[in-house]
C-alpha cells in the first residue's frame, strides 16, 4: 500500500473508531444490566385472544356493547332475518305485520332478547314455604310470632339453629310455650324440618311414615355413628339380632332425607346453552358442526361512515379510529368462528367411536395433538375450547371434557409418539366405565376392594394406581367395599 493510501486509511480509522468504542461501551452496559426478549401484544391482538375465549352468550353481550359504543358499527340482519321470522310465534308475527315496520322489529327483538343462559325461577324458597304454612297453622298472634322466629332461625338444610331457651328469651315467653309451637312446626313440610340434629330429623320423618319402631328406631336413636361406619356386625351384636336384620333396617333408614330443606331452591336455575351443536346427517353416516353464534347479530360497517370526505380533519381522524376498531372486531369474530370450527372438526375426526358409542369409547386426546392436526398453536386450541359447551347426539358437556390423558400402559412407557397415540389407548372415562362394570357385577357378599379393582384394570391395560381407582370410584358415587358388602 502506498503512503498516501495508508494516510487516508489511518484518518478514516480515527473517524470511525470512537463510534465503535461508544457502541461497544453501550453493549457492555446493556449486558451488565441484562437483556431480555419478549413479545409485546397490541390491543387488537389482546382483543382477538379474548374474543376467541368467549362463549356464545358472552360474545352476544360483547356485540351489543360494541354496537352501542362504536357509531361505525351497525347490525346486519340480512342473513338472520328470515330465520328469526320463522322462529317468531304467529301472533307476534301478525302484530309485527300490523305495525308495518319490518326494519325495526328484528333490531329490538335481537337487542332485547331474553338471556338464553338463565331459565325461570326454580320455585319458592324454603323460608317462603314455611312462612305460608305458619300463617295457616297458628291463629294466635303470639304463637305465629314464635313460629316466624323459628322459620328465620332455620338453615337451608331445614335444621333449627337456635335452642328452645334462646327462642324463649327472644320471644319473651317461657320454654314450654316455645316447645308447644315447635312440635307443630316440626309437622310442616318438608318432613324433618325444624330438627335440631340428624337423629331428630330422621326420627320426625320415620314417625311421619309410621316406621319408627323396632330396629329402625334403635338405629336412629343409638347407632347412627356406627351405621355411618358400616359396622353392621357390631350393631347386630349390641341389638342381639342377625347382620341381615340390621342391614334391612339400615336400608330403610338410608331412604330418609338427612337434608330435607334442600328440596326447595328459590334460586334462579341456569340453563346451559351449547356453543357448538353436532348433528347427524340425514343418512346417519356423518356429522354436521353448527356454531350457535350464528344467532348473534352480525356486525358490518355503517354506510354513513364509509365516506369521510365531507368532514374536517379531527372528525376524519376520529372516524378512522372507529372504523379501524370496527374492522378489527369483525375480523376477530370471523376468525373465532373459523378457528373453533377447525378445532371441533379435528376433535370429531379423532373421536368417531365416542360419537357412535358414548362415554366408554372416548379415546385419549391432548390439545397438543389437535394443534398438530389443525396446524395451530396449542395455546390457540386451549382458548378455542375454553368456556365452550358442545351438544352431541348423546348429551351436552364442556368441550374440554373430550380431552383426556392416555392411561394405557404402553403410552406410560413411552413406546409411541403423541401422534401415534392419538385415538389409541384408554382414557379416564374408559377407566371409570371399567370400574362401574366391575362393581355392578361383583359378588355383593364379597365386594371387590380398590386394590383388587386396580389389579383387574391393570390386566386390561390401564396404567392406574389404587389411589386413582379410589378417586374414580368416589366420583362415580360408589362407597367403599366395606359399605357395599351385603350380609
Amino acid at each position: 500500500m502506498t503512503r498516501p493510501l495508508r494516510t487516508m486509511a489511518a484518518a478514516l480509522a480515527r473517524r470511525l473508531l470512537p463510534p465503535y468504542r461508544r457502541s461497544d461501551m453501550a453493549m457492555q452496559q446493556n449486558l451488565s444490566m441484562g437483556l431480555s426478549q419478549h413479545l409485546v401484544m397490541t390491543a387488537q391482538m389482546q382483543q382477538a385472544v379474548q374474543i376467541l375465549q368467549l362463549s356464545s352468550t358472552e360474545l352476544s353481550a360483547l356485540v351489543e356493547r360494541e354496537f352501542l359504543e362504536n357509531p361505525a358499527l351497525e347490525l346486519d340482519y340480512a342473513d338472520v332475518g328470515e330465520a328469526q321470522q320463522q322462529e317468531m310465534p304467529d301472533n307476534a308475527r301478525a302484530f309485527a305485520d300490523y305495525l308495518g315496520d319490518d326494519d325495526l322489529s328484528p333490531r329490538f327483538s335481537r337487542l332485547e332478547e331474553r338471556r338464553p343462559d338463565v331459565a325461570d325461577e326454580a320455585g319458592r324458597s324454603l323460608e317462603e314455604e314455611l312462612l305460608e304454612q305458619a300463617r295457616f297453622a297458628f291463629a294466635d298472634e303470639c304463637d305465629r310470632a314464635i313460629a316466624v322466629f323459628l322459620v328465620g332461625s332455620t338453615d337451608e338444610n331445614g335444621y333449627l339453629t337456635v335452642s328452645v331457651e334462646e327462642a324463649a328469651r327472644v320471644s319473651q315467653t317461657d320454654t314450654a310455650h316455645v316447645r308447644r309451637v315447635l312440635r307443630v312446626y316440626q309437622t310442616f313440610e318438608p318432613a324433618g324440618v325444624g330438627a335440631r340434629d340428624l337423629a331428630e330429623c330422621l326420627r320426625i320423618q320415620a314417625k311421619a311414615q309410621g316406621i319408627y319402631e323396632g330396629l329402625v328406631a334403635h338405629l336412629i336413636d343409638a347407632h347412627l355413628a356406627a351405621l355411618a361406619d358400616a359396622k353392621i356386625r357390631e350393631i347386630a351384636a349390641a341389638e342381639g339380632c342377625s347382620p341381615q336384620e340390621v342391614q334391612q333396617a339400615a336400608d330403610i333408614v338410608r331412604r330418609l332425607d338427612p337434608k330435607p330443606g334442600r328440596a326447595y331452591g328459590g334460586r334462579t336455575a341456569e340453563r346451559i346453552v351449547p356453543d357448538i351443536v353436532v348433528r347427524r346427517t340425514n343418512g346417519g353416516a356423518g356429522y354436521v358442526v353448527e356454531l350457535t353464534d350464528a344467532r348473534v347479530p352480525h356486525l358490518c360497517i355503517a354506510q354513513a361512515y364509509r365516506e369521510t370526505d365531507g368532514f374536517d380533519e379531527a372528525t376524519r381522524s376520529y372516524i378512522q379510529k372507529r372504523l379501524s376498531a370496527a374492522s378489527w372486531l369483525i375480523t376477530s369474530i370471523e376468525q373465532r368462528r373459523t378457528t373453533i370450527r377447525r378445532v371441533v372438526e379435528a376433535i370429531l375426526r379423532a373421536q368417531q367411536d365416542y360419537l357412535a358409542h358414548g362415554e366408554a369409547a372416548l379415546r385419549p386426546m391432548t390439545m397438543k395433538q389437535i394443534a398438530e392436526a389443525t396446524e395451530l398453536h396449542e395455546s390457540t386450541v386451549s382458548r378455542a375450547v375454553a368456556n365452550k359447551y358442545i351438544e352431541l347426539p348423546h348429551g351436552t358437556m364442556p368441550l374440554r371434557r373430550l380431552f383426556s390423558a392416555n392411561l394405557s400402559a404402553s403410552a406410560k412407557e413411552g413406546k409411541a409418539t403423541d401422534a401415534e397415540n392419538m385415538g389409541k389407548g384408554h382414557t379416564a372415562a374408559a377407566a371409570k366405565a371399567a370400574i362401574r362394570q366391575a362393581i355392578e357385577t361383583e359378588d355383593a357378599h364379597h365386594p371387590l376392594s380398590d386394590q383388587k379393582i386396580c389389579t383387574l384394570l391393570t390386566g386390561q391395560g390401564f396404567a392406574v394406581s389404587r389411589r386413582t381407582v379410589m378417586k374414580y370410584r368416589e366420583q362415580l358415587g360408589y362407597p367403599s367395599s366395606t359399605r357395599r358388602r351385603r350380609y
Side-chain angles (χ1 to χ4, degrees):
M1 181 181 295
T2 61
R3 184 179 182 86
L5 289 177
R6 286 198 297 269
T7 303
M8 292 175 62
L12 180 61
R14 283 194 299 270
R15 287 198 301 271
L16 295 178
L17 188 57
Y20 283 147
R21 285 179 178 174
R22 286 195 298 268
S23 176
D24 186 65
M25 291 176 61
M27 183 182 298
Q28 293 293 336
Q29 291 176 356
N30 289 335
L31 289 175
S32 63
M33 295 172 61
L35 293 177
S36 62
Q37 255 188 347
H38 59 276
L39 177 65
V40 178
M41 295 185 66
T42 64
Q44 291 88 348
M45 293 174 63
Q46 293 177 4
Q47 184 187 49
V49 168
Q50 293 173 357
I51 288 176
L52 182 59
Q53 296 179 136
L54 295 180
S55 64
S56 296
T57 304
E58 294 169 336
L59 179 62
S60 179
L62 174 68
V63 168
E64 292 183 14
R65 185 172 63 253
E66 293 293 333
F67 167 72
L68 295 174
E69 294 178 356
N70 192 342
L73 287 171
E74 68 179 15
L75 301 180
D76 183 9
Y77 298 100
D79 53 350
V80 298
E82 182 179 353
Q84 187 184 30
Q85 289 294 329
Q86 294 176 354
E87 296 174 0
M88 187 182 299
D90 293 339
N91 55 351
R93 183 161 49 245
F95 184 68
D97 294 339
Y98 172 76
L99 292 177
D101 193 346
D102 296 333
D103 181 62
L104 291 178
S105 54
R107 179 184 300 268
F108 287 102
S109 60
R110 275 295 169 188
L111 290 181
E112 299 174 6
E113 185 177 14
R114 183 174 64 89
R115 285 283 180 267
D117 59 339
V118 178
D120 296 332
E121 292 188 357
R124 291 185 300 178
S125 66
L126 175 64
E127 183 179 8
E128 292 171 338
E129 180 68 23
L130 294 175
L131 287 175
E132 181 176 351
Q133 295 180 64
R135 284 194 295 270
F136 288 98
F138 298 100
D140 183 74
E141 292 186 3
C142 185
D143 292 348
R144 191 183 301 118
I146 296 174
V148 170
F149 175 77
L150 295 178
V151 170
S153 303
T154 302
D155 65 15
E156 61 181 6
N157 295 322
Y159 286 87
L160 193 62
T161 58
V162 296
S163 64
V164 172
E165 291 75 17
E166 184 178 357
R169 180 178 57 82
V170 173
S171 303
Q172 297 181 352
T173 185
D174 55 80
T175 56
H177 190 183
V178 174
R179 286 192 178 93
R180 187 168 62 251
V181 174
L182 179 58
R183 281 195 296 270
V184 178
Y185 178 53
Q186 289 179 344
T187 64
F188 288 4
E189 292 292 337
V193 71
R196 287 156 288 185
D197 53 42
L198 177 60
E200 187 176 21
C201 178
L202 300 180
R203 189 180 304 117
I204 293 171
Q205 296 180 57
K207 288 181 178 179
Q209 298 178 22
I211 59 174
Y212 183 69
E213 58 185 15
L215 194 52
V216 171
H218 291 173
L219 288 179
I220 293 175
D221 294 336
H223 302 293
L224 280 183
L227 182 60
D229 294 333
K231 297 179 179 180
I232 302 298
R233 291 187 179 277
E234 289 82 347
I235 298 174
E239 293 295 331
C241 59
S242 66
Q244 291 83 356
E245 293 174 323
V246 174
Q247 195 154 54
Q248 290 175 1
D251 292 340
I252 296 174
V253 173
R254 289 193 178 101
R255 287 199 292 266
L256 302 176
D257 190 357
K259 297 179 180 180
R262 291 297 182 94
Y264 294 84
R267 299 178 296 271
T268 56
E270 295 187 358
R271 179 166 58 100
I272 295 176
V273 177
D275 303 272
I276 306 102
V277 178
V278 178
R279 305 187 190 279
R280 294 183 184 272
T281 57
N282 294 332
Y287 297 89
V288 177
V289 177
E290 299 177 3
L291 271 64
T292 58
D293 64 357
R295 302 173 63 90
V296 177
H298 291 184
L299 295 173
C300 62
I301 303 298
Q303 186 64 35
Y305 290 90
R306 295 178 184 272
E307 300 294 336
T308 61
D309 295 338
F311 300 102
D312 56 61
E313 185 64 28
T315 304
R316 282 200 301 271
S317 176
Y318 171 78
I319 292 177
Q320 287 299 327
K321 291 180 181 179
R322 296 293 87 194
L323 286 174
S324 177
S327 177
W328 186 268
L329 176 64
I330 294 172
T331 302
S332 298
I333 292 175
E334 185 59 35
Q335 183 64 38
R336 170 191 180 275
R337 186 178 295 110
T338 303
T339 302
I340 292 176
R341 182 178 293 276
R342 287 176 59 188
V343 170
V344 172
E345 288 176 349
I347 292 174
L348 298 183
R349 285 194 296 269
Q351 298 291 354
Q352 291 292 326
D353 292 340
Y354 171 72
L355 292 173
H357 305 293
E359 193 78 18
L362 185 65
R363 296 304 179 189
M365 182 178 65
T366 64
M367 293 185 186
K368 180 179 179 182
Q369 293 166 342
I370 295 299
E372 293 176 353
T374 56
E375 298 182 352
L376 296 171
H377 195 274
E378 186 175 352
S379 62
T380 302
V381 175
S382 177
R383 294 186 179 100
V385 302
N387 307 315
K388 310 293 190 308
Y389 281 83
I390 183 170
E391 180 184 323
L392 299 170
H394 46 75
T396 300
M397 65 191 66
L399 188 53
R400 282 184 178 272
R401 187 174 169 183
L402 297 179
F403 294 90
S404 183
N406 198 335
L407 298 182
S408 63
S410 60
K412 296 295 181 182
E413 296 170 1
K415 295 181 179 179
T417 63
D418 287 340
E420 293 171 343
N421 277 329
M422 185 173 179
K424 299 179 181 179
H426 302 290
T427 64
K432 291 179 181 179
I435 293 173
R436 181 186 294 108
Q437 182 179 8
I439 293 178
E440 293 294 335
T441 58
E442 69 184 0
D443 182 1
H445 299 289
H446 301 89
L448 299 173
S449 65
D450 291 339
Q451 184 58 52
K452 290 182 179 179
I453 296 177
C454 178
T455 303
L456 183 64
L457 264 64
T458 301
Q460 297 177 8
F462 291 91
V464 293
S465 63
R466 186 198 64 82
R467 186 181 298 274
T468 302
V469 170
M470 180 182 68
K471 180 181 72 173
Y472 289 167
R473 172 181 57 75
E474 291 176 347
Q475 290 177 355
L476 292 171
Y478 291 107
S480 63
S481 59
T482 304
R483 298 186 178 183
R484 295 199 311 273
R485 184 176 181 182
R486 306 293 298 180
Y487 291 91

